[in-house]
Amino acid sequence: MIPNSIDAFVERLATGRAGPNSVNPFDFSKRGNAVRRRNLTRYLEQVGELSPSVLLVGEAPSYRGMRITGVPFTNTVILQRGIPHFGLFGLANGYAVPDDQPAVAAEPTATVMWNTLVELDFLPLLWSAYPLHPHRPGNPLSNRTPSMTEAAEWSWSWRALEQLFSIRSVVA
């Protein structure tokens, strides 16, 4: 895993176009997205140091999770406190919560996911099949299932991570 490759990956994410009912949490349109890009870069660097062999791919970011933090399967609590078992996240490790976040409850899936990973002592690289936040029309504080077209259009992202990290198994 090469740091410049991580930067190029995050840059490609940031320049990707979001459809009418999706938000790209990494694009250059909002100040808070710079924090999300830095958080994602830091996550990829930290996980890369641990040499994961499995890529675990979820569906899409939630408006209460990755949409806010920039990191798959996290919420603001996890991002701030960290996961000491793996030495990931936390303000002391360079993560920050964007100041443009909506006032919403923490994403519960993230907590369940990390509790399970700690219990199993298993750290995969985490990602989303559609790394943008898909929402219902006119309601950005909602979630919807991404279309097959959206997932196919963004499949380059998980395939790039598979190559970048020399992943041996992809699990959806």
Side-chain angles (χ1 to χ4, degrees):
M1 187 235 5
I2 304 163
N4 288 342
S5 298
I6 290 173
D7 292 340
F9 174 80
V10 174
E11 176 78 16
R12 186 171 177 194
L13 278 175
T15 57
R17 189 185 66 78
N21 299 310
S22 294
V23 174
N24 184 337
F26 307 104
D27 73 18
F28 297 101
S29 68
K30 293 183 175 75
R31 188 182 77 241
N33 290 354
V35 175
R36 291 175 188 91
R37 289 189 303 273
R38 284 193 304 275
N39 286 342
L40 178 59
T41 298
R42 185 68 186 120
Y43 166 70
L44 295 174
E45 290 170 348
Q46 277 197 300
V47 172
E49 291 169 4
L50 301 171
S51 302
S53 62
V54 174
L55 173 63
L56 183 59
V57 182
E59 185 177 68
S62 161
Y63 74 95
R64 298 186 298 172
M66 184 179 173
R67 166 68 184 89
I68 294 172
T69 67
V71 180
F73 292 96
T74 63
N75 56 39
T76 57
V77 174
I78 290 169
L79 197 74
Q80 291 173 316
R81 289 186 188 161
I83 305 291
H85 183 81
F86 295 118
L88 290 175
F89 311 126
L91 301 178
N93 283 322
Y95 293 88
V97 175
D99 60 10
D100 67 346
Q101 67 176 358
V104 296
E107 171 57 56
T109 303
T111 301
V112 171
M113 172 66 80
W114 284 105
N115 286 343
T116 301
L117 293 174
V118 166
E119 185 177 311
L120 296 172
D121 191 29
F122 172 67
L123 182 63
L125 176 62
L126 301 172
W127 195 244
S128 296
Y130 182 62
L132 309 187
H133 169 238
H135 59 81
R136 292 190 298 271
N139 188 0
L141 294 182
S142 68
N143 296 319
R144 70 169 171 82
T145 301
S147 71
M148 294 288 278
T149 302
E150 289 169 326
E153 182 180 320
W154 285 83
S155 65
W156 69 264
S157 66
W158 66 263
R159 293 172 196 267
L161 290 173
E162 182 182 21
Q163 296 300 310
L164 188 62
F165 289 87
S166 302
I167 296 295
R168 291 190 298 259
S169 300
V170 178
V171 179

